[in-house]
């Protein structure tokens, strides 16, 4: 099925036809999009017992209500012994009801925590599959809320659904019983139910609309907060506190104003519903009193009517709450399982070819690439017509070709915007080419399976992520079964040995979130050691020394020099002094290679390269 068909079905306001439901089901099956049932079906026994004890609690509630009215009647008629016995039975039922609630909680926690954990894990793993464009087009908050928050909300609401259905059945039975006792009182009750239901239907319609808007606003707030926490050093150093305070205040105010408006709407409608509830309840009570006076109603029946004069309000309220839950479950499940939909969250695509014993040859053949700017209307993508058009900026690379031989060290240089980092992203398949081919050992990179590609290419970027754990554990993230000899060798080659030996806890030193306890150069060298442990055939350095001081830069340069000849090394360099010893330099300008050669050859023969180096070292 083409994407346009799916999109049209999803955007329809009316219910989809049977054929359209089949198409949606087939689309989800083809793309391995799970449903909430896939996570609950392994816990059918728990769910059965949860529903069973919910029904037990509901039936006990009905029995206690009817028996209590009978106790009052027995007392009035003077049958005190029977009233005491019946009261004891009510107490026993109450104890059973409370014990059932304990069992309900135990059963719920047994399966709900497992379901939430599975959802969290699967969503986190799915996030690893997303393409670079998916991350570029969505905020951090979009992922965090879907992965962490929404699964808890979803499972919690499903449990509430069962509880409310139980309470709803209880109120329904009481209402039917009142109707049987006296149809006149029952008709008043029915009128109250209808009026309250109208209020709740309108409230629910507004709530469904508001919750989607609120979630989008919360995503923005969550994303901004995450970015502020992660970039606190840059914020302080650039004096951005006041500016960000203003931005943050606007975000939070916008979110809180919407929450305020939504809350006022919901509360106002609910209170009007409650007024109607009270009016009809009082009308029902007055009629019951009149009928009791005229002998048309026995006292026990009157007590049931009196005790449950607000039942229709409860029935309506529970119906509304049930609607809220159904709405919430749909919103949360849609948000969660959208992450498995490649149409909404595109994933990386790999081939099926397994490339063994990778030598490390890299070739670009007539490669062109342009960044996506925005989506407009009518374009054909993946052989499927969509109601969107991909509009791209000017090409970053155009008809680019070059070859990097195995186990050589090469560098790409050029002014900002010349396409250096784009080449590395295409080389590591973070982006996919628009035209042409990228080859690894003469095999198209799009034909390689994930293991062949990721195992044999390591990337060390300008700001490598270091985890909040020890140096050793950070290294073992790259290779969990690394031997002590392999670890020491990686540390030595990354020029980290003297630094680690000088630490009180040595290799077991915890480095803090994002490696905050380390300097920029130390983080870079730790990232290099981590890449070395993977024993990748190709190691890519993207601006790895651009933000470092001269001493740290020298350490990184030594680390790279230690790798020469053992892997294919590709460097994007901002500082030309760091690439004097490479085997070959590609000089870029506006997405094209305008010259290539050794450092000495370019310095002697290319005036622009010469000027760049001299300007850097003045």
């Amino acid at each position: 099925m083409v994407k346009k068909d799916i999109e049209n079905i999803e955007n329809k306001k009316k219910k989809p036809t049977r054929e359209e439901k089949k198409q949606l089901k087939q689309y989800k099956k083809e793309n391995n999009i799970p449903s909430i049932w896939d996570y609950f079906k392994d816990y059918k026994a728990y769910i059965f017992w949860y529903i069973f004890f919910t029904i037990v609690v509901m039936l006990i509630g009905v029995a206690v209500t009817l028996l209590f009215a009978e106790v009052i009647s027995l007392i009035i008629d003077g049958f005190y012994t029977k009233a005491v016995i019946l009261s004891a039975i009510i107490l026993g039922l109450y104890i059973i009801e409370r014990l059932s609630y304990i069992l309900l909680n135990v059963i719920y926690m047994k399966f709900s925590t497992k379901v939430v954990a599975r959802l969290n894990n699967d969503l986190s793993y799915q996030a690893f599959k997303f393409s670079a464009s998916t991350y570029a087009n969505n905020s951090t908050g979009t992922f965090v809320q879907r992965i962490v928050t929404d699964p808890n909300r979803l499972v919690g609401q499903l449990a509430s659904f069962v509880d409310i259905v139980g309470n709803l059945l209880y109120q329904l039975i009481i209402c039917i019983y009142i109707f049987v006792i006296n149809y006149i009182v029952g008709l008043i009750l029915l009128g109250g139910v209808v009026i309250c239901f109208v209020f709740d239907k309108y409230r629910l319609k507004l709530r469904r609309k508001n919750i989607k808007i609120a979630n989008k606003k919360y995503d923005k707030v969550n994303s901004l907060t995450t970015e502020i926490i992660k970039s606190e050093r840059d914020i302080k150093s650039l004096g951005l506190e006041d500016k960000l305070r203003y931005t943050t205040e606007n975000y939070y105010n916008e979110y809180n104003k919407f929450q305020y408006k939504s809350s006022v709407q919901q509360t106002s409608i609910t209170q009007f519903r409650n007024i109607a509830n009270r009016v009809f309840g009082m009308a029902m009570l007055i009629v019951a009193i009149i009928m009791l006076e005229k002998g048309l109603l026995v006292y026990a029946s009157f007590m049931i009517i009196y005790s449950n004069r607000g039942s229709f309000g409860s029935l309506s309220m529970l119906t509304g709450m049930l609607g809220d839950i159904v709405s919430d479950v749909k919103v949360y499940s849609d948000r969660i399982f959208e992450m498995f939909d490649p149409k909404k969250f595109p994933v990386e695509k790999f081939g099926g070819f397994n490339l063994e014993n990778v030598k490390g040859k890299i070739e670009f053949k007539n490669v062109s690439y342009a960044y996506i700017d925005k989506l407009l209307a009518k374009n054909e993508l993946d052989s499927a017509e969509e109601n969107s058009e991909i509009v791209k900026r000017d090409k970053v690379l155009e008809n680019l070709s070059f070859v990097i031989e195995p186990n050589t060290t090469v560098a790409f240089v050029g002014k900002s915007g010349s396409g250096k980092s784009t080449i590395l992203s295409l080389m590591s398949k973070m982006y996919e080419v628009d035209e042409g081919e990228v080859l690894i050992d003469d095999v198209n990179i799009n034909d390689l399976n994930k293991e062949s590609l990721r195992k044999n290419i390591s990337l060390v970027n300008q700001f490598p992520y270091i985890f909040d754990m020890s140096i050793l554990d950070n290294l073992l993230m790259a290779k969990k079964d690394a031997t002590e000899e392999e670890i020491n060798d990686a540390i030595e080659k990354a020029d980290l040995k003297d630094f680690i030996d000088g630490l009180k806890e040595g290799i077991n030193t915890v480095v803090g979130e994002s490696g905050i306890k380390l300097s920029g150069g130390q983080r870079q060298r730790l990232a290099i050691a981590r890449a070395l442990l993977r024993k990748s055939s190709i190691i890519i350095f993207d601006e790895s020394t651009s933000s470092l001081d001269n001493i740290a830069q020298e350490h990184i340069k030594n680390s790279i020099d230690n790798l020469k000849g053992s892997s294919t090394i590709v460097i994007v360099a901002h500082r030309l002094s760091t690439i004097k010893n490479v085997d070959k330099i590609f000089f870029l300008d506006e997405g094209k290679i305008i010259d290539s050669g050794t450092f000495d050859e370019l310095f002697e023969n290319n005036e622009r390269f010469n000027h760049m180096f001299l300007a850097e070292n003045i």
Side-chain angles (χ1 to χ4, degrees), residues 536-550:
S536 301
S537 302
I538 300 168
I539 302 177
I540 298 171
F541 294 89
D542 187 4
E543 302 276 16
S544 297
T545 64
S546 62
S547 61
L548 305 180
D549 58 38
N550 290 333

Side-chain angles (χ1 to χ4, degrees), residues 515-530:
I516 195 170
K517 297 180 182 179
L518 304 177
S519 69
Q522 290 158 357
R523 284 197 294 270
Q524 288 285 354
R525 282 181 281 158
L526 181 52
I528 291 171
R530 200 163 57 185

Side-chain angles (χ1 to χ4, degrees), residues 78-139:
F79 297 107
Y80 300 111
T81 303
K82 288 184 177 179
V84 169
I85 293 171
L86 205 53
S87 296
I89 292 172
I90 291 173
L91 176 61
L93 289 173
Y94 175 80
I95 292 171
I96 294 171
E97 182 186 43
R98 295 299 101 184
L99 291 174
S100 296
Y101 273 119
I102 294 173
L103 281 171
L104 276 171
N105 183 63
V106 170
I107 293 168
Y108 170 70
M109 294 306 296
K110 274 278 188 181
F111 73 85
S112 67
T113 51
K114 293 177 181 178
V115 170
V116 170
R118 279 187 60 192
L119 278 167
N120 291 148
N121 289 334
D122 287 357
L123 289 166
S124 296
Y125 185 70
Q126 182 67 16
F128 294 141
K129 301 178 183 179
F130 293 152
S131 65
S133 63
T134 298
Y135 283 106
N137 295 330
N138 292 278
S139 67

Side-chain angles (χ1 to χ4, degrees), residues 12 24 42 47 58 64 73 105 128 192 268 277 311 383 392 403 417 434 471 475 496 527 552 586:
K12 276 189 175 184
L24 282 170
D42 292 337
I47 294 170
M58 181 267 294
V64 167
S73 182
N105 183 63
F128 294 141
S268 299
N277 180 20
S311 290
S383 301
K392 296 201 171 186
V403 176
D434 295 332
I471 293 172
L475 292 171
L496 266 177
F586 293 102

Side-chain angles (χ1 to χ4, degrees), residues 66-81:
L66 301 179
L67 290 175
F68 182 74
E70 186 63 25
V71 168
I72 299 297
S73 182
L74 288 171
I75 292 172
I76 292 170
D77 293 338
F79 297 107
Y80 300 111
T81 303

Side-chain angles (χ1 to χ4, degrees), residues 208-367:
R208 285 174 177 168
K209 177 183 175 183
N210 290 343
I211 195 170
K212 291 181 180 180
I213 299 172
N215 277 325
K216 288 181 180 179
K217 292 183 180 295
Y218 183 74
D219 283 349
K220 288 172 65 178
V221 168
N222 196 355
S223 182
L224 179 64
T225 305
T226 303
E227 288 179 349
I228 288 172
I229 292 170
K230 285 190 173 183
S231 60
E232 56 89 15
R233 283 187 171 186
D234 290 330
I235 291 169
K236 290 175 182 176
S237 65
L238 295 171
L240 299 176
E241 292 94 336
D242 290 339
K243 173 64 177 174
L244 280 170
R245 180 181 178 181
Y246 174 76
T247 305
T248 305
E249 187 176 354
N250 285 341
Y251 271 53
Y252 280 109
N253 283 344
E254 185 182 346
Y255 175 69
N256 290 328
K257 281 179 182 177
F258 183 79
Q259 290 291 75
Y260 167 78
K261 178 184 174 183
S262 179
S263 177
V264 169
Q265 285 179 340
Q266 294 293 305
T267 302
S268 299
I269 297 169
T270 299
Q271 292 312 313
F272 280 116
R273 190 273 314 277
N274 290 343
I275 291 171
N277 180 20
R278 186 60 60 91
V279 169
F280 277 87
M282 190 58 66
M284 191 172 77
L285 183 60
I286 290 170
V287 170
I289 292 171
I290 293 171
M291 298 187 78
L292 182 65
E293 181 186 15
K294 294 180 179 296
L296 299 175
L297 200 67
V298 298
Y299 198 79
S301 297
F302 174 79
M303 285 304 300
I304 291 175
I305 292 170
Y306 176 79
S307 300
N308 296 280
R309 61 192 182 279
S311 290
F312 57 84
S314 298
L315 189 65
S316 170
M317 181 184 71
L318 289 168
T319 302
M321 290 174 66
L322 199 63
D324 290 346
I325 288 172
V326 170
S327 177
D328 288 353
V329 165
K330 186 174 188 319
V331 170
Y332 297 142
S333 60
D334 284 350
R335 283 168 56 82
I336 287 170
F337 296 114
E338 273 179 358
M339 289 186 66
F340 295 94
D341 187 346
K343 176 169 67 70
K344 295 177 180 177
F345 288 87
V347 297
E348 293 180 305
K349 297 176 183 177
F350 298 94
F353 187 79
N354 183 42
L355 186 61
E356 297 181 359
N357 302 318
V358 175
K359 297 179 177 63
K361 179 183 177 183
I362 304 169
E363 183 175 3
F364 273 43
K365 277 188 177 180
N366 305 315
V367 169

